[in-house]
Amino acid sequence: MKKEILDKLELRQGDITRLDVDAIVNAANTKLLGGGGVDGAIHRAAGPQLLDECRTIGGCPTGEARITGGYNLLARHVIHAVGPVYSGKPQDSRLLTGCYLNSLTLAVENNLKSIAFPAISCGVYGYPIKDACKIAVDTSIDFLGRRPSLEKIIFIQFSEKDLQVYETYLNSIV
Ligand code: AR6
């Protein structure tokens, strides 16, 4: 694995709403009108203007992403990605890959340099963290190989256990 690509990946534990990056990614639902989990935390921290902007978008299909401002967040933008509800079917991985790919594409199209992802679909949507981690990391590495303008991709986990899954996987591919 190329060192200049791996150097752009960073693992962290903590609250995504506190990050000073060009964009944080929200694990949203198709309505884009807020919810629980990381979605609720992002809307609380960003303030009501985020919901106002989301209302103008009119929703987002599963596997796709939409970009808004960051309002009261330190992050300049929020990229709202809609992950699949885990079903155990092959379409799950295709849709989750789409979340990462479409979020990263939006970041580059908007000239952003840094982006942070939570573990999309790994909360109430029930995606197994090990499978989701592999999709997140593999899709990001492949993307960075093709679009080198992006400088930093952070994967931030709430729990120590989920962080360890990412650490183990990254260590296995270096
Ligand atoms: N910072 C970082 N990670 C977080 C934070 C945070 N502040 N809060 C939660 N997580 P989930 P999903 C982690 O359930 O599975 C919402 O209602 C959490 O530990 O937020 O994609 C939406 O509106 C987990 O690892 O998202 C949708 O309806 C990960 O973020 C639905 O939930 C994702 O958990 C989306 O479900």
Side-chain angles (χ1 to χ4, degrees):
M1 184 59 57
K2 279 192 184 152
K3 187 177 180 303
E4 57 264 37
I5 289 181
L6 286 174
D7 283 349
K8 292 182 175 182
L9 304 182
E10 188 179 324
L11 304 184
R12 287 209 204 171
Q13 187 180 3
D15 180 354
I16 199 168
T17 67
R18 311 292 290 270
L19 295 184
D20 182 3
V21 285
D22 291 331
I24 60 171
V25 177
N26 182 17
N29 60 53
T30 53
K31 293 193 168 70
L32 294 191
L33 297 177
V38 73
D39 195 2
I42 289 173
H43 275 274
R44 275 192 300 279
Q49 286 172 292
L50 179 60
L51 187 57
D52 291 343
E53 185 176 355
C54 284
R55 281 206 180 93
T56 69
I57 297 174
C60 175
T62 304
E64 294 190 19
R66 301 287 184 266
I67 190 167
T68 66
Y71 301 99
N72 296 337
L73 291 163
L74 276 177
R76 270 69 74 194
H77 300 273
V78 179
I79 294 175
H80 306 262
V82 182
V85 177
Y86 186 70
S87 67
K89 295 185 184 145
Q91 71 206 32
D92 296 339
S93 65
R94 185 175 50 78
L95 292 168
L96 191 61
T97 301
C99 286
Y100 285 93
L101 201 52
N102 288 316
S103 297
L104 292 165
T105 302
L106 271 178
V108 167
E109 283 172 356
N110 287 274
N111 295 316
L112 310 187
K113 303 292 180 201
S114 55
I115 183 170
F117 285 98
I120 300 167
S121 285
C122 294
V124 296
Y125 281 1
Y127 214 108
I129 185 78
K130 276 189 190 162
D131 297 343
C133 162
K134 185 169 163 22
I135 288 171
V137 172
D138 291 355
T139 305
S140 298
I141 287 174
D142 179 65
F143 186 87
L144 287 170
R146 292 181 286 111
R147 309 294 292 268
S149 69
L150 200 57
E151 292 171 3
K152 182 63 73 183
I153 301 178
I154 299 172
F155 300 105
I156 182 160
Q157 311 306 313
F158 231 9
S159 77
E160 172 75 29
K161 205 165 118 277
D162 291 348
L163 180 70
Q164 276 171 12
V165 170
Y166 272 76
E167 281 172 352
T168 304
Y169 185 61
L170 264 188
N171 288 334
S172 78
I173 59 174
V174 291

